[in-house]
Amino acid sequence: MAGEVAIRLENVSKRFGSILALDNVSLCINPGEVVAVIGPSGSGKSTLLRCINRLEVPDSGKMFVNDAEFNDQKDDVNTLRTEIGMVFQRFELFPHLSVIENIRLAPERVRRFSKAESEQIARKLLARVGMLGREEASVGNLSGGESQRVAIARSLAMAPRVMLFDEPTSALDPEMTQEVLDVMLALARDGMTMVVASHEMAFVRGAADRVVFMDQGRIVEEGDPSQIFDSPCQERTRMFLSRILR
Amino acid sequence: MPQKKDLLGDWWRKFPWWLVIVAIIGATVVLSMLTSEGYIETLDYLLQGVSVTIMISFAAYATALLIGLALALGRVSGNVFINNLATLYIEVARGIPLLVVIIYVHFVVGPIFGLNRNPIVSGILALSLGYGAYLAEVYRAGIESVERGQVEAARSLGMSYRTAMRSVVLPQAVRTVLPALGNDLIAMLKDSSLVSAIAVGELTKRGQIEAARTFDTFRTYNVVAVLYLALTLLSSLIVRALERSRRP
């Protein structure tokens, strides 16, 4: 797999009414790489992530998965999504299911795993996100941090090759942010390919291999965390960072 | 001792007092019925209609649940053809009085398609066709109450639209609209009286016959009303119990 491109976007644009959410965006995500996408609200971070797993279909542009161009056929989309996990800002756990049922649902319904198999997977993942012992808990009784950790486990249960995180800590109390970031950090160390839209600059700096700064639907600048944070080339990047880092 | 007082207050507030009142009135009525020769005779005759009413109502309700679900899925479908077809059906079926639908199915649709002329079958068919449209709107409200993010989460895990609907959206939707569905079950029990128009020997029809035979309208419809009330109250209690058991 070395050197192989996991995902490549080429000149992708997406418009919502009069708003150009993505403007000719090109981006490579290499296997094992942690790419952080930063930028002000409305800069297109979410749309970029959602175009990768086709929750939004771009108006134009191409996407390559392992050098094969992705075309939006129905089966391909479902297969693509099993390989690309997504973690949402507001968790989106299934409230009618228990913690472990949330994790088991997709492996059983999509991968057709047996109950024994899916249970084994779920327990292993719950241990990984530090939620073992809460299998039967009702989703409504979890804290925000716990919910997000379960949501991460739910995505991992499909054994994706890439994980997308759409501002995973933005809906959390500051106290709970760290427990989620710790899980993500461990995941990054294990070599998971990750694309993270986040405002947690300390995390971005510590965990990302590459930082992409977006503004008004465009990638303004990308590079090493140290380069972006310490000596950004673009004035816009400098302005954003000076405001957010204060 | 504020805790104990609260507990008592809670108990006082939650107790189903309405049920006590119903039980007292019911017991009085039943007692006076059972001590009167005429009432016993009327009750005896009408009870045979009760089983028909129950059978028709539950058969039609079960069918309407399926028709309603299919229509609701059509209504939220992205397919223009299916969507319009479902909307057309719902608007037409809701716009025609149930009594007219019943007569229409029995005397017009049945003969045209050469279906059997059994009025019970016509009655069940007509009630389920009419209620299917009402239930479709109930389901749809439930489906639309489920947040978009839930579908996105399900789809992002690789589930097809169908799987996401079945495993994620519908379980939540049905839980939300369970009280409304129960409401329509009770309404169906009452509306089943309309099939008396095509001579199905259910409770209301038997009431008409009994009243004509005895000329005692007061007595007959007292019994008819009490029997309907017993049926609807019983269903109401069952629905409540079901709601409680489905609550997380």
Side-chain angles (χ1 to χ4, degrees), chain B residues 46-210:
Chain B
L46 293 182
L47 272 177
Q48 298 165 52
V50 170
S51 58
V52 180
T53 289
I54 292 176
M55 192 270 283
I56 289 177
S57 303
F58 281 86
Y61 190 72
T63 318
L65 279 177
L66 296 177
I67 294 176
L69 179 59
L71 287 170
L73 291 174
R75 199 88 152 77
V76 298
S77 160
N79 183 315
V80 178
F81 177 72
I82 292 175
N83 190 311
N84 276 284
L85 203 66
T87 309
L88 176 74
Y89 177 91
I90 290 167
E91 292 305 332
V92 169
R94 278 199 311 183
I96 302 174
L98 210 46
L99 183 57
V100 177
V101 175
I102 289 166
I103 294 169
Y104 201 80
V105 166
H106 188 58
F107 293 110
V108 182
V109 177
I112 287 176
F113 291 101
L115 297 174
N116 76 27
R117 303 291 302 274
N118 182 342
I120 290 186
V121 175
S122 300
I124 291 172
L125 186 62
L127 284 173
S128 32
L129 289 176
Y131 265 76
Y134 302 139
L135 293 184
E137 290 299 273
V138 173
Y139 278 119
R140 186 175 66 95
I143 290 170
E144 285 176 356
S145 78
V146 178
E147 281 181 52
R148 217 177 107 87
Q150 288 285 306
V151 183
E152 289 187 345
R155 298 304 303 274
S156 79
L157 290 163
M159 289 185 213
S160 62
Y161 175 82
R162 184 199 271 265
T163 308
M165 200 42 120
R166 195 179 48 207
S167 306
V168 175
V169 178
L170 284 179
Q172 295 183 54
V174 169
R175 187 186 282 176
T176 308
V177 299
L178 213 53
L181 288 177
N183 221 13
D184 275 344
L185 171 64
I186 291 160
M188 172 78 92
L189 270 169
K190 294 185 293 175
D191 279 349
S192 71
S193 66
L194 293 171
V195 302
S196 61
I198 54 171
V200 175
E202 44 67 76
L203 184 48
T204 303
K205 186 70 199 170
R206 284 195 171 245
Q208 289 166 353
I209 295 168
E210 178 70 359

Side-chain angles (χ1 to χ4, degrees), chain B residues 29 33 39 46 216-227:
Chain B
V29 173
M33 279 181 185
Y39 267 112
L46 293 182
D216 197 337
T217 319
F218 177 74
R219 185 177 73 198
T220 309
Y221 284 104
N222 274 347
V223 179
V224 169
V226 166
L227 286 176

Side-chain angles (χ1 to χ4, degrees), chain A residues 99-132 135 149-160, chain B residues 157:
Chain A
V99 164
I100 196 162
E101 284 167 344
N102 261 276
I103 300 171
R104 288 169 50 176
L105 186 66
E108 285 176 18
R109 295 292 151 85
V110 180
R111 294 233 194 267
R112 303 275 162 216
F113 283 172
S114 71
K115 288 198 164 179
E117 285 171 308
S118 74
E119 177 149 354
Q120 200 191 354
I121 292 169
R123 283 182 195 285
K124 208 186 264 177
L125 289 169
L126 282 174
R128 202 162 158 190
V129 299
M131 288 292 288
L132 206 57
E135 290 93 329
R149 285 186 282 146
V150 172
I152 292 171
R154 181 178 66 176
S155 282
L156 290 175
M158 293 300 285
Chain B
L157 290 163

